[in-house]
Amino acid sequence: MQKINAIRGMNDLLPKDAAAWSYLERTLADLTRAYGYEQIRTPIVEATALFQRGIGEVTDIVEKEMYSFEDRLNGEQLTLRPEGTAAVVRASIEHNLIYDGPKRLWYTGPMFRHERPQRGRYRQFHQFGIEALGFAGPDIDAEIILMGQRLWDELGLQGVRLELNSLGEAAERTAHRQALVEYFTQHHVQLDEDSQRRLQTNPLRILDSKNPSMQTLIEGAPKLLEFLGSESLAHFEAVQTLLKANNIPFKINPRLVRGLDYYNLTVFEWTTEALGAQGTIAGGGRYDPLMERMGGKSAPACGWAMGMERVLDLMAISKSVPESDPVCDVYVLHQGGDTLVQAMIAAEALRSAGIDVILHCPPDGQSASFKSQMKKADASGAQLALIIGPDELASDEAQLKDLRGTGEQHAVPLSGLLAAVVDALVDS
Ligand code: ATP
Ligand code: MG
């Protein structure tokens, strides 16, 4: 029969990689606790309109990356979530989460974007993100950036650089936009096809172009920072002061605009050269207009999102994934029949005491020689082998063998098995 494979760009998480994922997830859970962030989980499927409004119609995601479909039963337009912020904002409005003050939230889970699969770019990928809802000051911008830096430090990642910019407020961007349109109109012949279209729809996004032949033109374009008023500048400077006071290195990148439409004031990205073309491991910023745009009461907010696959790739390069724990403490060997019955009872008793046990189950359902079982026990990483053969059963005993240290083996009474195993595990 022909086999069915996974969908292109959507990956299995195999056992050999599971330890690194768990380690990252534990580190993230500790990080969020250290800063008082609470977890939120939203559905993977949302109304398409949520992303059209929440991300912006003229963005790569909404224009060409969304997995959208019609609900066959009622015709609703639905989309597999391509990012987390729109849904977190929707949920916070729907459940009135910030009625009694601001909230610090975090989420994690799979996201879906129809992109060309390559290293660091997948169609199902995973994000971790934080959203600080209801905070207006530069203190929270700095705090979420400190969180990111702490995470890279905890994970032992090297060469992660922070780029920072301010997008100002709407009126400032309008003035800048006019200057941009003038500039790009003057240089119309040098624009690629995408950018010519964007000149009509969203000229700011031309600055986001990755087309190498556009870079010199973009370099010379009017910079938004030159159009910021005093309040926006003060916010931006306060963020920088707090970062400097906490010894966070950063570089101001006046061209940083981010892919999503809803940002204002502070925007930032963490990048690395170690991952090739997909070098942005996380990015975010302030999105004060979004709450109101999603139908809620106006409230300031900011956050960032990180690509888990890219961070794990960087962890592997930095060799910062700790050795994984062995899969079990004790591997139980037997010869089938009554010895299997006793072995299974013994394994259950040990598990009830919190000991991790693998019971030998022969692949062919027949009993195997102790020699071949012992090879499996060794390969399992277990500290101890517990052997119950017919002779042991006849004398109400089991053999306990130290697999890692001395290799010593001795008989223990079945009645005192738990104590003997605990002793041996402490010794080893
Ligand atoms: P890029 O410019 O690489 O397409 P983006 O601006 O679209 O990134 P965001 O929407 O800001 O990315 O998502 C936050 C993070 O999620 C990115 O910095 C990246 O680490 C990760 N990410 C985004 N798209 C993908 C993808 N298709 N596969 C794997 N990770 C991704
Ligand atoms: Mg993208």
Side-chain angles (χ1 to χ4, degrees):
M1 191 106 77
Q2 215 180 3
K3 66 184 169 83
I4 298 172
N5 287 335
I7 294 170
R8 214 162 99 78
M10 304 200 178
N11 301 313
D12 297 308
L13 167 57
L14 300 177
K16 70 177 171 53
D17 299 319
W21 277 83
S22 310
Y23 172 69
L24 175 57
E25 285 159 359
R26 281 198 303 277
T27 308
L28 291 168
D30 290 347
L31 179 77
T32 54
R33 205 172 316 115
Y35 286 83
Y37 281 68
E38 299 172 279
Q39 190 182 22
I40 182 163
R41 299 187 194 196
T42 61
I44 283 171
V45 180
E46 298 269 359
T48 304
L50 176 76
F51 303 113
Q52 287 167 336
R53 208 178 331 153
I55 298 173
E57 295 274 4
V58 194
T59 56
D60 282 350
I61 296 179
V62 173
E63 278 183 342
K64 52 189 181 200
E65 295 175 359
M66 294 205 300
Y67 281 94
S68 297
F69 55 97
E70 193 182 282
D71 186 321
R72 261 200 288 176
L73 298 181
N74 62 11
E76 269 183 277
Q77 284 301 321
L78 305 176
T79 294
L80 299 183
R81 64 180 183 193
E83 57 92 56
T85 303
V88 169
V89 166
R90 176 200 52 71
S92 87
I93 295 167
E94 196 166 329
H95 305 285
N96 213 3
L97 287 188
I98 60 168
Y99 77 100
D100 62 348
K103 269 250 177 305
R104 292 173 163 93
L105 301 171
W106 69 274
Y107 63 85
T108 186
M111 305 294 164
F112 303 83
R113 297 184 192 179
H114 199 279
E115 305 199 66
R116 192 168 69 77
Q118 53 199 292
R119 179 182 180 187
R121 193 174 292 288
Y122 310 104
R123 292 181 173 174
Q124 174 174 334
F125 64 101
H126 296 76
Q127 282 187 342
F128 163 86
I130 55 174
E131 313 291 357
L133 306 180
F135 298 92
D139 48 352
I140 196 79
D141 306 37
E143 180 184 283
I144 64 173
I145 293 173
L146 293 184
M147 275 179 89
Q149 182 63 51
R150 180 176 296 277
L151 178 61
W152 319 135
D153 292 346
E154 298 265 321
L155 294 174
L157 302 185
Q158 272 135 35
V160 178
R161 289 195 314 245
L162 171 63
E163 296 190 356
L164 194 65
N165 191 20
S166 174
L167 299 183
E169 298 296 357
E172 294 153 2
R173 283 199 300 277
T174 306
H176 173 238
R177 186 189 153 111
Q178 274 162 8
L180 266 188
V181 171
E182 265 169 48
Y183 173 83
F184 284 125
T185 308
Q186 274 164 19
H187 299 85
H188 196 262
V189 284
Q190 287 164 263
L191 295 178
D192 64 15
E193 206 180 304
D194 247 6
S195 301
Q196 291 191 1
R197 191 169 42 83
R198 283 187 174 144
L199 184 54
Q200 309 306 321
T201 51
N202 191 348
L204 204 65
R205 291 294 316 287
I206 298 177
L207 304 177
D208 212 15
S209 164
K210 293 191 174 91
N211 185 348
S213 71
M214 293 273 305
Q215 297 311 309
T216 324
L217 185 66
I218 290 172
E219 206 71 59
K223 301 207 172 19
L224 176 58
L225 283 179
E226 294 153 12
F227 292 78
L228 295 196
S230 58
E231 266 185 49
S232 296
L233 278 177
H235 188 103
F236 193 34
E237 267 150 29
V239 174
Q240 293 177 53
T241 304
L242 289 168
L243 294 181
K244 283 181 193 148
N246 285 283
N247 300 315
I248 306 288
F250 60 87
K251 200 180 112 206
I252 292 182
N253 176 358
R255 285 175 42 198
L256 183 67
V257 293
R258 306 271 310 132
L260 316 183
D261 250 6
Y262 47 61
Y263 288 101
N264 71 321
L265 294 174
T266 318
V267 289
F268 53 88
E269 279 183 358
W270 280 285
T271 60
T272 170
E273 266 155 26
L275 295 179
Q278 271 55 253
T280 307
I281 58 170
R286 187 162 272 288
Y287 50 91
D288 296 337
L290 188 62
M291 282 279 196
E292 199 174 2
R293 182 157 149 185
M294 299 308 293
K297 269 214 291 239
S298 170
C302 62
W304 54 258
M306 160 189 119
M308 308 261 288
E309 283 82 357
R310 292 185 193 177
V311 168
L312 281 154
D313 198 353
L314 194 55
M315 284 164 65
I317 292 170
S318 315
K319 301 210 175 353
S320 60
V321 184
E323 288 282 309
S324 58
D325 294 338
V327 175
C328 70
D329 301 314
V330 181
Y331 195 98
V332 182
L333 296 72
H334 59 85
Q335 288 289 291
D338 288 347
T339 65
L340 163 63
V341 175
Q342 187 54 57
M344 198 173 248
I345 291 170
E348 283 299 301
L350 295 177
R351 291 184 187 117
S352 296
I355 295 165
D356 302 334
V357 183
I358 292 179
L359 174 67
H360 184 79
C361 291
D364 59 0
Q366 312 291 313
S367 64
S369 73
F370 275 138
K371 190 166 166 227
S372 77
Q373 292 189 44
M374 200 52 91
K375 276 195 194 147
K376 298 260 165 34
D378 241 341
S380 75
Q383 293 289 334
L384 301 173
L386 179 70
I387 304 149
I388 303 179
D391 294 348
E392 284 79 19
L393 198 59
S395 52
D396 281 329
E397 285 180 335
Q399 294 283 330
L400 207 53
K401 182 176 165 67
D402 177 358
L403 292 173
R404 307 294 148 194
T406 60
E408 181 240 2
Q409 180 173 328
H410 65 281
V412 295
L414 282 175
S415 56
L417 183 62
L418 177 59
V421 167
V422 169
D423 273 356
L425 286 175
V426 171
D427 284 351
S428 64

